[in-house]
């Protein structure tokens, strides 16, 4: 049987080497076209293009051997090593739905490490959505005024199906009931579908222990049901302490 991939102007490799990345294969002997094994992944990536995947200029072209990563590594060698290992196994980690989260005070390198993961995921051809916590919620709010029926559900569905969701400053948003409901829809959807999350958080204490860093503070902020799911998906946080690197660069 002579089987050839369907012709397409833009070619993206098929992970199964069965088509040209279009998601369609042509059987010339049978004179028929059928969907490749990678079809669901191609559909997922097309839908993900409607999400934000813009890496800010500040975090473009990051490298473990370029500043400020060497400086961050000197103060947090264990954390940087963990990120390096994650990036080296990016396909495996995303296929397993594994994530990471970075907890600490401002300017300690949380965002740089998170963007390194997103950068490696994009280089590997994986779909990535990048948002700050407030912008993510603003995007959802906008859909409530949309005349198109089901636009909110469509956005939530895309946010739960993209291969990597990167959220900066997860704990910034004021935790109203509406905010907590939207976070649960996204986090639980990704949890059930084993999709990876990478996020940063600088929630570092309360009135009783100002300045102290405890993961449980996030649980109080976003509810235990959200926190529990994130802990299973991402494991223990990578804490970053020390001086504010922004004062040096």
């Amino acid at each position: 049987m002579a089987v050839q991939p369907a012709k397409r102007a833009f070619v993206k490799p098929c992970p199964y080497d069965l088509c040209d990345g279009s998601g369609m294969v042509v059987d010339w002997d049978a004179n028929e076209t059928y969907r490749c094994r990678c079809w669901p992944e191609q559909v997922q990536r097309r839908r993900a293009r409607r999400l934000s995947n813009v890496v800010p200029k500040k975090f473009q072209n990051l490298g473990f051997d370029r500043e400020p990563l060497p400086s961050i590594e000197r103060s947090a060698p264990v954390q940087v090593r963990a990120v390096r290992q994650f990036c080296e196994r990016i396909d495996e980690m995303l296929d397993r739905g594994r994530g990471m989260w970075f907890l600490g005070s401002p300017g300690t390198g949380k965002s740089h490490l998170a963007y390194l993961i997103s950068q490696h995921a994009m280089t590997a051809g994986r779909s990535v959505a990048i948002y700050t916590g407030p912008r993510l919620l603003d995007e959802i709010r906008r859909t409530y005024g949309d005349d198109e029926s089901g636009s909110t559900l469509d956005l939530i569905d895309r946010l739960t199906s993209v291969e990597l969701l990167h959220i900066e400053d997860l704990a910034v948003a004021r935790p109203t009931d509406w905010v907590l409901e939207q976070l649960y829809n996204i986090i639980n959807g990704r949890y059930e579908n084993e999709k990876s999350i990478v996020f940063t958080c600088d929630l570092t204490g309360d009135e009783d222990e100002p300045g102290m860093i405890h993961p449980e503070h996030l649980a109080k902020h976003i509810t235990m049901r959200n926190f529990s799911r994130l802990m299973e998906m991402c494991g223990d946080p990578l804490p970053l302490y020390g001086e504010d690197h922004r004062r040096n660069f």
Side-chain angles (χ1 to χ4, degrees), residues 51-54 130-140 142:
L51 299 171
S52 172
N53 63 356
V54 177
I130 301 172
Y131 291 91
T132 64
R135 184 183 173 190
L136 178 63
L137 295 170
D138 284 343
E139 291 288 333
I140 297 172
R142 288 196 189 105

Side-chain angles (χ1 to χ4, degrees), residues 31-46:
N31 194 27
E32 65 179 14
T33 302
Y34 59 87
R35 289 178 179 175
C36 179
R37 282 178 59 195
C38 73
W39 174 260
E41 298 166 35
Q42 297 297 337
V43 171
Q44 191 177 86
R45 288 190 178 101
R46 284 194 289 271

